[in-house]
Structure formats: C-alpha cells, structure tokens
Amino acid sequence: MATTKSASPKGLSELFHDTLKDIYFAEKKILATLPKMAKAANSPDLKAAFEKHRGETEEHVARLEEVFEVIDKKPQAKTCAAIVGITDEGAEIMEEYKGTPALDAGLLAVAQAVEHYEISRYGTMKTWATELGLDEAASLLELTLGEEKATDEALTALAESTVNAAAEAA
C-alpha cells in the first residue's frame, strides 16, 4: 500500500495571506474598471463618485502593499472570481443599457455590489489580523473598511436622491 505524504494543515495565517492576495487582485481590478464606469455614467454626480473612489482605491492598493510588508510577503494577486463576476456584470450592464436612463441605476447597483464584497472582506481580514496579533495590519485594514463603508453610504444616498428616480421616470 502506497503511503501518501500529507501536507501540513493550513492555519489562519495562511488563510489571511490567501485572502490578502484575493483582495489585492480585487482592488487592482476595480482600479481598472472605475474609469470605464465613470465614462459610461450619465449622471455628473455618479461620474464624480466613481472618480473619487478611484483615488481612494489607489490608496487601498498602497495600504494592502503595506499589509504584505507587515507579514513579510511580496505583494501578489490571486484571481478573485467574485470581483471578476461583478465587474463582468457591470460590463454587461454598460453594453445592454447604454444610452438609457436605467444605465446609471445599473452601474450604481454594480458599484454597491463591489462595496459590499469589499466591506465583507476587509471586516473579516481586520478580525483575522487582530486574532493573529498583526495590530499594524488590523489598523490599515480598519482604515480601508471605514472608507468602503462611507463610499457605500454615499452611493446609497446618490441612488435614493437622483439616480433611481431618473431611471424610473423614463
């Protein structure tokens, strides 16, 4: 009977590192997608929101690189299927609703799906960093988590104040 070499069990630190690679990929993908969404948006307020978030996302990428430093790992991305799916959905909406009043509502919904994903990831990673005694990483992740929540709230306000009404009025 052949013996199989068993791999050592992976722990929370490996999971933290894998998830860090995942959100690093996600932030870089979002960084590439936001200009397309800003260009496609009809509402000047929505365009401005996407442009503002692009600047914040650049900071998020830099903070993630700091977290990689904290854990003494090289910044590396791992394909995040969730963000690929959400951004593909955004591309589909841009194509199918181009030139329609509903386009902005669709773009906003996709942007909020991204924010909700990021809020979930950053919240989890902050908790894990704390559990692992990575206080500096936890602080960096907490800072980004707060910004993602603020962006989500701003998008909700924009949806409720103008974007959804404009789509419905058409």
Side-chain angles (χ1 to χ4, degrees):
M1 185 169 150
T3 57
T4 57
K5 189 177 180 183
S6 63
S8 60
K10 291 185 176 186
L12 188 59
S13 62
E14 290 85 5
L15 184 59
F16 179 83
H17 184 222
D18 275 348
T19 306
L20 182 60
K21 291 189 282 188
D22 177 274
I23 195 68
Y24 188 63
F25 174 93
E27 290 288 19
K28 288 184 156 259
K29 178 77 171 164
I30 293 160
L31 203 51
T33 304
L34 279 167
K36 296 171 190 166
M37 292 175 71
K39 185 177 179 186
N42 295 313
S43 162
D45 291 340
L46 187 57
K47 281 181 188 289
F50 289 153
E51 287 162 5
K52 177 182 182 231
H53 196 55
R54 185 174 191 278
E56 289 175 348
T57 302
E58 288 171 346
E59 290 178 33
H60 300 167
V61 169
R63 274 192 211 124
L64 289 173
E65 289 169 351
E66 288 182 59
V67 174
F68 277 107
E69 248 179 71
V70 167
I71 63 169
D72 201 28
K73 301 283 185 184
K74 180 181 159 223
Q76 184 181 4
K78 174 182 163 187
T79 301
C80 172
I83 283 300
V84 169
I86 294 169
T87 56
D88 284 353
E89 182 182 319
E92 194 176 292
I93 286 170
M94 284 187 272
E95 187 177 312
E96 290 181 19
Y97 289 87
K98 185 178 183 175
T100 71
L103 173 63
D104 285 353
L107 289 173
L108 212 147
V110 167
Q112 286 200 281
V114 166
E115 291 310 310
H116 295 171
Y117 176 79
E118 290 176 311
I119 289 166
S120 168
R121 279 290 186 238
Y122 281 110
T124 297
M125 291 191 64
K126 180 188 97 51
T127 301
W128 290 347
T130 301
E131 288 287 322
L132 292 166
L134 303 169
D135 296 338
E136 185 182 352
S139 294
L140 291 164
L141 295 164
E142 173 71 30
L143 194 55
T144 300
L145 176 61
E147 290 172 358
E148 298 294 8
K149 287 178 178 179
T151 296
D152 182 52
E153 289 172 14
L155 290 172
T156 296
L158 189 55
E160 292 173 348
S161 66
T162 58
V163 172
N164 291 346
E168 187 180 5

